[in-house]
Amino acid sequence: MTQAPAAPKAARRRHDREIIALAVPAFGALVAEPLFVLADSAIVGHLGTAQLAGLGVASALLTTAVSVFVFLAYATTAAVARRVGAGDLPSAIRQGMDGIWLALLLGAAVIAVVLPTAPALVELFGASDTAAPYAVTYLRISSLGIPAMLVVLAATGVLRGLQDTKTPLYVAIGGFVANGALNVGLVYGAGLGIAGSAWGTVIAQCGMAAVYLYVVVRGARRHGASLRPDVAGIRACAQAGAPLLVRTLSLRAILMIATGVAARLGDSDVAAHQIILSLWSLMAFALDAIAIAGQAIIGRYLGADDPEGARAVCRRMVEWGIASGVGLGLLIILARPLFIPLFTGDAAVQDAALPALVVVALAQPVCGIVFVLDGVLMGAGDGPYLAWAMIATLAVFTPVALLVPTFGGGLTALWGAMTLMMAVRMLTLWLRSRSGRWIVTGATR
């Protein structure tokens, strides 16, 4: 009788080991990605204000372009993990190669659009006359690296599906170091200015893509998987990714609306909003790491025809999400008097940010549940539901956010609307997880 609880405890410990083994390296890789932009900014900033402003505009455009295609990682992770769970490694790698071929095709299409339209895009983002030439130069050169960036996304999804998040961490660290060294050498050593920074980033991204391709191709040859493009497979990858693209665009719209509303509140509020948004993004990396583990683990369990295992690990990851959210919320509360002065000494900005940060802190447990369940449903290949749920969330958030300037409350009210948005997401995801309709077993959904 005393040994009855041993099995559930053993199962939880096994799930914990799986989650930690995947989530910790994933968090490191996620944090390494924005460091590329920080390194470029630090190096280019010494060239002059106009160059730094140009880099800011071009980087925002590039980040938006690449983030739209993040479904290459998410959809590939779920599809590969299912086949791993089914014990079909050749098919898993073949699926991954289809995702990589799709990434190359999309990357080529983006280059074809960006190169001729770079000046118009820079003007659309409101670059000044002095910054615009630098932004156009950086954008045109850096766009040549977009296929490599998208290959990195797809190949990262392949390795995550194969239950490997350590290799992406090592590649991200190596890419960051190479990017910094190349930027310094080309910007100052070769005297290429902002063009040197762009070329350094392109070379670093191509190097990362080459490493990923080597790892995936080696696995394909080991397991006898074909490397040739398969039209049907590429089409299937695109179809699986389309709902996730809708989800991502809806989320980007929410963030853009929030920034637009903050701008209408005044300069102090929009400045405080940017500070809070940067912290919110950092917290999201920690929670997204658990979601990435969820994508890989859930896909594997469903591929192995183990619905009970999928349910059990889902419950455990939700517990992880709540605990992580509580911890992050407490950290925000304790650190906010120290955090905000790092960004600004303006008393008005600090006064706007401090109460809003309390709202952000209280919302973190909700965010933890949202990120985990998002990862679970992605791992299950439940993209269509995620798309419709995010569209519904956007429909609820938009009128509430737009009414903030009318009814008052300032930035605190705006972040209250952001918390409402996360609560709506939590409700839609929780209802889906409770329904069990996401549980579709087998090598394919």
Side-chain angles (χ1 to χ4, degrees):
M1 294 293 290
T2 58
Q3 294 181 350
K9 287 183 178 179
R12 284 198 298 271
R13 285 195 296 268
R14 185 177 71 253
H15 295 325
D16 289 345
R17 286 194 297 269
E18 289 179 327
I19 294 167
I20 292 171
L22 292 172
V24 172
F27 174 69
L30 288 169
V31 170
E33 291 174 7
L35 293 179
F36 272 82
V37 177
L38 288 177
D40 288 0
S41 299
I43 294 166
V44 171
H46 292 286
L47 294 174
T49 302
Q51 288 90 332
L52 183 59
L55 172 66
V57 171
S59 294
L61 285 163
L62 286 166
T63 301
T64 300
V66 174
S67 65
V68 164
F69 298 112
V70 73
F71 70 84
L72 288 167
Y74 295 159
T76 305
T77 297
V80 171
R82 275 184 175 271
R83 287 160 175 79
V84 169
D88 190 354
L89 283 176
S91 178
I93 297 174
R94 173 67 262 178
Q95 180 73 31
M97 285 303 306
D98 291 335
I100 290 172
W101 280 112
L102 177 61
L104 287 170
L105 291 173
L106 291 172
V110 173
I111 290 178
V113 171
V114 171
L115 283 179
T117 62
L121 291 171
V122 167
E123 183 179 357
L124 183 65
F125 263 59
S128 67
D129 291 340
T130 54
Y134 297 110
V136 171
T137 296
Y138 191 92
L139 181 59
R140 277 181 166 158
I141 296 172
S142 293
S143 68
L144 300 177
I146 287 179
M149 296 180 195
L150 300 189
V151 166
V152 167
L153 283 177
T156 299
V158 176
L159 295 182
R160 288 174 182 170
L162 294 171
Q163 318 295 296
D164 175 11
T165 56
K166 290 183 179 178
T167 299
L169 172 61
Y170 300 148
V171 175
I173 293 172
F176 170 69
V177 172
N179 179 68
L182 286 165
N183 268 257
V184 171
L186 294 174
V187 171
Y188 298 112
L192 296 179
I194 195 169
S197 177
W199 281 118
T201 300
V202 169
I203 295 169
Q205 292 285 354
C206 288
M208 293 171 65
V211 173
Y212 275 119
L213 288 175
Y214 170 77
V215 173
V216 175
V217 168
R218 184 181 62 182
R221 288 175 174 168
R222 183 186 305 129
H223 296 286
S226 173
L227 299 174
R228 295 179 180 178
D230 177 66
V231 174
I234 294 172
R235 186 186 301 114
C237 287
Q239 290 172 344
L244 297 180
L245 175 61
V246 173
R247 168 200 168 275
T248 300
L249 290 174
S250 300
L251 181 57
R252 296 291 299 183
I254 287 170
L255 297 177
M256 290 176 65
I257 290 169
T259 300
V261 170
R264 290 171 60 190
L265 296 175
D267 290 347
S268 296
D269 287 286
V270 74
H273 176 73
Q274 289 304 116
I275 294 171
I276 295 172
L277 194 60
S278 66
L279 178 63
W280 193 70
S281 298
L282 180 61
M283 299 299 102
F285 285 137
L287 299 174
D288 203 26
I290 304 174
I292 288 170
Q295 293 170 31
I297 296 171
I298 290 294
R300 193 186 77 233
Y301 273 99
L302 293 177
D305 291 319
D306 187 358
E308 290 306 317
R311 287 191 183 93
V313 77
C314 174
R315 287 192 296 269
R316 189 57 177 161
M317 281 189 291
V318 168
E319 293 170 1
W320 270 77
I322 295 171
S324 299
V326 170
L328 291 173
L330 291 173
L331 182 62
I332 292 172
I333 293 291
L334 295 174
R336 67 192 176 113
L338 303 174
F339 175 78
I340 296 176
L342 293 176
F343 289 85
T344 180
D346 189 317
V349 176
Q350 292 183 5
D351 289 343
L354 281 170
L357 271 177
V358 174
V359 176
V360 173
L362 294 175
Q364 289 307 298
V366 174
C367 294
I369 296 172
V370 168
F371 275 81
V372 165
L373 291 180
D374 210 34
V376 166
L377 297 185
M378 283 185 190
D382 205 12
Y385 181 82
L386 290 172
W388 285 112
M390 190 59 80
I391 291 172
T393 302
L394 174 61
V396 172
F397 170 78
T398 300
V400 174
L402 293 178
L403 287 172
V404 167
T406 302
F407 288 96
L411 193 64
T412 302
L414 175 58
W415 276 94
M418 290 287 284
T419 301
L420 172 65
M421 177 270 293
M422 294 302 291
V424 172
R425 289 186 68 189
M426 182 181 70
L427 177 62
T428 58
L429 297 174
W430 178 78
L431 289 173
R432 186 65 168 182
S433 68
R434 285 296 299 267
S435 73
R437 294 178 183 175
W438 57 277
I439 299 177
V440 179
T441 59
T444 58
R445 183 178 172 86

